[in-house]
């Protein structure tokens, strides 16, 4: 018995892996500009960094992430062509928060059984989102883990790097008293809070194939709406309005208040007015199913705000207009204030950051 056939007996199919690469190769290649050296299939991806020589002090920005338990819904629906965009968005939209342009990304897919068409669907989604954000997909890995994952189970993760001129880094140190917080609409739940979603669905005895009159789709279809990509519109706004954008906040795990507090300096606070936007139906419906108020799920879901920009007040209208031209729904959600106050009910910093303070006030628009 050959070593190759022994490996197949253990549950690992190297031929399926080769077929998956063939199926995804064209989509991956479309993300490659002249900076990518060597194409697809090498042990390591090569990226020509000579363009960084034009920077005075280039800083590399890196991020890594996955999409959490949203993959369970993709698997239940046997729909795998959107989860790749979720992965890219979670990573490159973190990179742009510091003002960096994403350059290149790699992905990792672990599965119980390698089904080439399924893997190709996932990677096509990754490649399409990379192309939309100007990010080269320079490498990846697909690994079969028989006995550890079920035959229809998989998980996805990725990492990317970008570059920003040191003098142009965005962050709390640029935020000023009176700055405007511009909110940008989310496309849905994005890739956070799905453990709560799955709990609610299970408690209500609902399947993802169940049609919801409120959502106008099956639950699975509504929940798999891919994550909004903010990178290109934000980079356009940063370029069009130099110095106007002081900080950005990607509203992911922890919700609106916690993520905004991370990008405000100590001594500053903001009250986000819930009445400035209408929460999308997918959130209100799920909250009602679970018997929760919207306030009770603010720490789990983005409730329709996927990204926020802290902007100089005198340039806020112009920045908002540019973002709208690039396809984003934008509104003023709050103003930043410096000064002493009672911070009861505020989220103060988050994830190890000694930042500012944020709370949500008022009632959501009906």
């Amino acid at each position: 018995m050959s070593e190759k056939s022994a490996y197949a007996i253990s549950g690992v199919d190297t031929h399926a892996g080769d077929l998956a690469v063939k199926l995804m190769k064209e989509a991956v290649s479309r993300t490659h500009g002249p900076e990518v050296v060597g194409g697809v299939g090498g042990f390591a991806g090569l990226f020509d960094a000579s363009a960084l020589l034009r920077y005075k002090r280039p800083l590399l920005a890196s991020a890594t992430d996955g999409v959490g338990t949203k993959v369970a819904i993709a698997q239940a629906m046997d729909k795998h062509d959107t989860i790749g965009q979720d992965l890219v968005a979670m990573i490159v939209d973190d990179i742009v928060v510091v003002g960096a342009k994403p350059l290149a990304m790699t992905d990792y897919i672990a599965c119980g059984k390698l089904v080439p068409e399924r893997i190709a669907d996932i990677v096509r989604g990754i490649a399409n989102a990379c192309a939309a954000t100007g990010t080269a997909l320079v490498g990846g890995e697909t690994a079969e883990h028989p006995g550890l994952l079920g035959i229809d189970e998989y998980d996805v993760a990725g990492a990317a790097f970008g570059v920003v001129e040191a003098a142009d880094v965005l962050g709390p140190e640029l935020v000023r008293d009176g700055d405007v917080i511009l909110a940008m609409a989310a496309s849905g739940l994005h890739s956070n809070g799905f453990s709560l979603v799955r709990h609610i669905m299970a408690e209500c005895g609902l399947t993802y194939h169940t049609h919801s009159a409120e959502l106008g789709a099956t639950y699975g279809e509504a929940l798999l709406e891919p994550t909004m990509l903010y990178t290109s519109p934000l980079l356009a706004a940063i370029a069009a309005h130099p110095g106007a954008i002081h900080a950005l906040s990607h509203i992911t795990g922890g919700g609106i208040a916690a993520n905004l507090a991370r990008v405000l300096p100590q001594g500053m606070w903001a009250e986000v007015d819930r009445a400035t936007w209408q929460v999308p139906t997918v959130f209100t419906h799920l909250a009602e199913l679970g018997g929760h108020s919207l306030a009770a799920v603010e720490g789990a879901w983005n409730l329709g705000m996927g990204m926020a920009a802290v902007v100089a007040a005198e340039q806020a209208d112009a920045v908002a207009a540019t973002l709208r031209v690039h396809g984003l729904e934008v509104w003023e959600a709050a103003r930043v204030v410096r000064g002493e106050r009672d911070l009861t009910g505020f989220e103060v910093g988050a994830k190890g950051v000694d930042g500012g303070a944020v709370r949500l006030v008022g009632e959501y628009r009906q």
Side-chain angles (χ1 to χ4, degrees):
M1 181 179 293
S2 70
E3 184 178 354
K4 185 175 182 180
S5 61
Y7 207 15
I9 288 172
S10 75
V12 177
D13 187 346
T14 56
H15 291 297
D18 291 341
L19 177 56
V21 172
K22 290 180 181 178
L23 292 174
M24 69 180 73
K25 188 172 183 178
E26 182 181 350
V28 173
S29 296
R30 285 199 299 269
T31 73
H32 293 178
E35 302 85 2
V36 177
V37 179
V40 178
F43 282 93
L46 294 173
F47 189 90
D48 183 353
S50 59
L52 303 188
L53 294 174
R54 71 173 181 265
Y55 289 79
K56 293 181 179 179
R57 186 186 169 204
L59 299 183
L60 293 181
S62 66
T64 185
D65 211 338
V67 299
T69 58
K70 191 173 185 176
V71 295
I73 300 172
Q75 291 157 23
M77 295 296 291
D78 194 23
K79 179 176 171 56
H80 315 285
D81 58 347
T82 60
I83 209 78
Q85 178 166 323
D86 294 308
L87 179 65
V88 174
M90 288 298 98
I91 297 169
V92 301
D93 285 342
D94 275 358
I95 286 175
V96 79
V97 161
V98 297
K101 171 182 169 53
L103 297 175
M105 176 173 167
T106 60
D107 64 74
Y108 177 78
I109 304 170
C111 57
K113 178 177 175 58
L114 201 159
V115 179
E117 295 78 10
R118 180 189 299 158
I119 299 301
D121 275 350
I122 297 169
V123 176
R124 286 192 195 101
I126 295 171
N128 290 340
C130 280
T133 57
T135 309
L137 184 58
V138 295
E141 173 70 9
T142 302
E144 279 186 293
H145 293 166
L148 181 63
L149 294 169
I151 60 172
D152 292 320
E153 293 180 337
Y154 62 81
D155 198 10
V156 296
F161 69 90
V163 64
V164 60
E165 185 68 71
D168 298 330
V169 173
L170 306 182
E173 62 279 359
L174 300 180
V175 175
R176 300 291 179 261
D177 187 19
D179 279 356
V180 169
I181 295 178
L182 294 178
M184 286 157 261
S187 55
L189 279 90
H190 289 181
S191 297
N192 298 102
F194 278 90
S195 293
L196 176 58
V197 170
R198 292 167 57 239
H199 174 76
I200 290 171
M201 295 286 290
E203 288 290 302
C204 293
L206 295 169
T207 74
Y208 298 113
H209 293 280
T210 302
H211 187 273
S212 166
E214 291 85 351
L215 301 179
T218 66
Y219 284 97
E221 289 167 340
L223 293 169
L224 287 178
E225 181 68 30
T227 305
M228 181 75 74
L229 296 167
Y230 299 99
T231 292
S232 294
L234 286 170
L235 289 174
I238 290 169
H241 309 283
I245 298 176
H246 294 160
L248 294 169
S249 178
H250 193 191
I251 311 302
T252 56
I256 295 168
N259 282 292
L260 273 173
R262 295 166 67 185
V263 301
L264 298 185
Q266 288 181 292
M268 290 194 181
W269 53 271
E271 292 182 318
V272 175
D273 185 358
R274 297 183 179 102
T276 57
W277 82 100
Q278 187 166 355
V279 176
T281 303
V282 65
F283 298 104
T284 57
H285 179 59
L286 288 170
E288 288 170 2
L289 285 177
H292 305 296
S293 67
L294 288 176
V297 297
E298 287 172 343
W301 299 335
N302 65 58
L303 295 181
M305 184 190 302
M307 183 74 77
V310 185
V311 181
E314 65 276 11
Q315 294 175 278
D317 288 344
V319 170
T322 297
L323 293 171
R324 292 183 185 114
V325 165
H326 286 83
L328 297 181
E329 180 184 347
V330 185
W331 67 94
E332 181 178 328
R335 296 260 177 163
V336 178
V337 180
R338 179 186 293 279
E340 296 292 328
R341 67 154 300 152
D342 179 7
L343 296 180
T344 302
F346 281 75
E347 192 80 43
V348 181
K351 297 192 177 182
V353 176
D354 295 325
V358 177
R359 70 174 177 178
L360 276 65
V361 297
E363 301 294 331
Y364 287 108
R365 187 190 305 166
Q366 298 298 312

